[in-house]
Amino acid sequence: MEVLSVRQEEKLWGRNHIIHLDNSFQICHIFINKGGYCSNHFHSHKWNQFYIISGKLVVNTYERDGSIKNMTVLGPTECIKIPPNMNHRFEALEDTQAMEIYWSELSEHDIVRTDIGGMRE
């Protein structure tokens, strides 16, 4: 068994410990200082999930015109999933620890047929 080191990134709002990162998903343990918030942003292809360990986190989602679509306050053991292309921002109401998970989903309809298969005699 190999012991892996966790990459830590300092952020304006706190810090981010990247636990796993590859081309299909990412897991981070984030520490957000009270009053800390991230930029209003979206991910083109990734889902984004927040699972709260401790503290309180507000997650806002936005319409394209910048108006708030939804405001959700999360506490310990609560989570939210944000789909690709949805603008969002978080802000900590208290010092907060959370797991942040990113992933992509393949669609079962991800096929473009150029002809129809069959059987040869």
Side-chain angles (χ1 to χ4, degrees):
M1 219 128 149
E2 178 185 0
V3 175
L4 304 172
S5 60
V6 174
R7 188 171 93 208
Q8 180 174 312
E9 297 176 340
E10 296 297 322
K11 302 286 188 173
L12 293 174
W13 44 260
R15 66 187 189 282
N16 182 27
H17 292 187
I18 300 172
I19 296 169
H20 179 85
L21 174 61
D22 66 23
N23 63 359
S24 61
F25 73 99
Q26 179 176 350
I27 301 172
C28 301
H29 185 183
I30 59 176
F31 301 81
I32 310 158
N33 298 321
K34 180 180 179 179
Y37 62 93
C38 70
S39 63
N40 179 345
H41 66 285
F42 69 92
H43 305 278
S44 297
H45 304 286
K46 297 186 290 190
W47 281 80
N48 194 181
Q49 182 171 7
F50 296 95
Y51 172 82
I52 309 306
I53 297 168
S54 64
K56 281 195 178 166
L57 192 69
V58 175
V59 179
N60 290 330
T61 57
Y62 298 91
E63 301 288 356
R64 287 288 178 215
D65 67 5
S67 62
I68 292 178
K69 179 176 184 169
N70 189 31
M71 178 190 292
T72 305
V73 178
L74 301 168
T77 74
E78 295 180 321
C79 66
I80 190 171
K81 292 195 296 190
I82 301 166
N85 295 304
M86 173 69 64
N87 278 68
H88 59 282
R89 174 195 312 263
F90 65 71
E91 181 173 347
L93 299 178
E94 303 173 357
D95 287 345
T96 300
Q97 286 189 53
M99 299 304 292
E100 185 174 25
I101 305 162
Y102 299 98
W103 71 94
S104 300
E105 289 184 0
L106 299 176
S107 169
E108 65 182 280
H109 305 290
D110 185 21
I111 185 169
V112 179
R113 298 183 193 280
T114 57
D115 65 9
I116 299 172
M119 293 292 297
R120 303 218 188 268
E121 292 184 31

